[in-house]
Amino acid sequence: MIFPMNAPMFDLLVLSVTAKTDAYGYQLSQIIKRVSHTKDSTLYPVLKRLQEQGFLTVYDQAYQGRNRRYYRITESGRQHCRTLSEEWNTYRDTVDQIVKTGGVQHE
């Protein structure tokens, strides 16, 4: 995709995924790569910030002899995800309206 990712969009995507299931970092990065050509290393500061803000908790789980760090959404993370989702819907609808009509309001 050619559209840039910003912090609120990263937050929305990470929180949306973890609202459905706990996820580990590489798994999250692969999902986000569907809409962004960001490097894996770009995601980890986002995860750290969301954890520091209390939107995610972290736990380790063994997998094939190694530990995977899993991220779990908190209740405040769910609330923040709902807020971001509402903002995204408004933004998307407005962009769609401009693209479809050229922004011209019909009377």
Side-chain angles (χ1 to χ4, degrees), residues 33 40 45 66-67 73-74 92 94 98 101:
K33 281 184 180 182
D40 292 345
R66 298 179 61 198
N67 276 339
I73 195 167
T74 64
R92 185 197 61 223
T94 303
I98 292 169
T101 68

Side-chain angles (χ1 to χ4, degrees), residues 45-98:
V46 173
L47 293 169
K48 177 96 172 132
R49 180 175 45 76
L50 290 171
Q51 182 184 358
E52 288 171 352
Q53 292 173 328
F55 298 142
L56 293 175
T57 59
V58 178
Y59 65 93
D60 290 338
Q61 185 170 332
Y63 178 78
Q64 295 182 348
R66 298 179 61 198
N67 276 339
R68 278 188 177 162
R69 177 155 285 189
Y70 282 83
Y71 297 87
R72 176 179 290 155
I73 195 167
T74 64
E75 187 51 42
S76 64
R78 288 183 191 284
Q79 292 171 343
H80 188 57
C81 185
R82 283 190 290 273
T83 299
L84 290 172
S85 185
E86 290 168 8
E87 288 289 324
W88 166 251
N89 288 333
T90 300
Y91 178 79
R92 185 197 61 223
D93 291 347
T94 303
V95 169
D96 283 348
Q97 188 268 332
I98 292 169

Side-chain angles (χ1 to χ4, degrees), residues 1-71:
M1 298 263 167
I2 62 172
F3 298 101
M5 292 282 287
N6 59 23
M9 184 57 65
F10 272 114
D11 292 0
L12 175 59
L13 293 175
V14 168
L15 294 173
S16 294
V17 171
T18 56
K20 304 291 186 257
T21 186
D22 296 358
Y24 55 96
Y26 181 75
Q27 179 182 23
L28 287 163
S29 74
Q30 296 308 297
I31 292 168
I32 290 173
K33 281 184 180 182
R34 294 181 195 167
V35 294
S36 173
H37 297 294
T38 57
K39 296 179 180 167
D40 292 345
S41 60
T42 304
L43 179 63
Y44 290 97
V46 173
L47 293 169
K48 177 96 172 132
R49 180 175 45 76
L50 290 171
Q51 182 184 358
E52 288 171 352
Q53 292 173 328
F55 298 142
L56 293 175
T57 59
V58 178
Y59 65 93
D60 290 338
Q61 185 170 332
Y63 178 78
Q64 295 182 348
R66 298 179 61 198
N67 276 339
R68 278 188 177 162
R69 177 155 285 189
Y70 282 83
Y71 297 87

